[in-house]
Amino acid sequence: MGQSSVNKISVSLEVNGELRQVAIRPADTLLYILRKQLALTGAKPGCLNGDCGACSVIVNETVYKSCIMLAVEAVDSKITTIEGLKDSPVLKAFIEHFAFQCGYCTPGFIMNIQALLIKQPQPSYETMKEWLSSNICRCTSYQEIEEAVLSVINRSKN
């Protein structure tokens, strides 16, 4: 059965610095709206229950798993997706350190670390490891991911 437009409401979402008008149902997840209505496909559907982190986005400088966040919860918030981080040092470090294999989880890791560095520009190694533990890479690129993150942290010390 298709989605009924009767239950939809029109809202504005600020995504990557741009106000976007969308029609949402109260039960629509932020991930669904980003991918299906706004064509922002960097956040990936992985587990769809908040465990893997492939769908991570930043909402008001805090990382959220968009598969378990309702779109209506993001109204009046600033949402940043991987598409909004074009020149991010974290993004560049992942490329420089080949911190990906298949790449499916990569946007979620980048968003997670971006949020960490917003909150703590000089996190300890233990804090970085704790933040990384909330995302899963099935291809096991963890060493390269750590190296990429440490390179960003070390650059900001200089």
Side-chain angles (χ1 to χ4, degrees):
M1 185 180 282
Q3 291 184 354
S4 170
S5 62
V6 175
N7 297 330
K8 290 187 178 184
I9 57 171
S10 182
V11 298
S12 291
L13 294 177
E14 185 179 334
V15 182
N16 300 327
E18 182 181 336
L19 273 179
R20 306 283 301 268
Q21 201 67 25
V22 293
I24 63 172
R25 297 176 310 130
D28 284 339
T29 64
L30 182 57
L31 177 63
Y32 177 84
I33 297 300
L34 290 171
R35 292 181 62 81
K36 299 298 182 186
Q37 286 198 36
L38 299 177
L40 297 170
T41 58
K44 305 288 190 239
C47 64
L48 296 177
N49 65 8
D51 287 335
C52 75
C55 66
S56 297
V57 298
I58 298 173
V59 180
N60 294 334
E61 298 188 345
T62 300
V63 69
Y64 285 92
K65 295 175 180 174
S66 64
C67 72
I68 58 172
M69 181 178 197
L70 296 175
V72 71
E73 293 177 284
V75 173
D76 297 325
S77 298
K78 293 181 182 198
I79 304 161
T80 305
T81 68
I82 191 72
E83 291 89 351
L85 297 184
K86 290 181 182 128
D87 295 319
S88 159
V90 178
L91 180 67
K92 289 177 182 177
F94 269 64
I95 294 167
E96 290 168 5
H97 291 271
F98 302 101
F100 51 86
Q101 283 187 36
C102 80
Y104 199 83
C105 68
T106 306
F109 272 102
I110 291 170
M111 298 308 295
N112 193 22
I113 294 305
Q114 185 75 31
L116 167 61
L117 296 176
I118 290 169
K119 301 280 185 197
Q120 297 181 46
Q122 294 294 313
S124 68
Y125 180 77
E126 293 76 22
T127 299
M128 176 204 67
K129 290 282 286 182
E130 182 180 339
W131 278 64
L132 287 175
S133 72
S134 73
N135 290 59
I136 296 171
C137 172
R138 290 187 173 101
C139 298
T140 68
S141 289
Y142 291 108
Q143 182 177 347
E144 294 85 357
I145 291 169
E146 275 189 33
E147 289 170 2
V149 175
L150 288 171
S151 76
V152 174
I153 293 168
N154 290 334
R155 275 187 221 151
S156 67
K157 287 180 183 178
N158 298 330

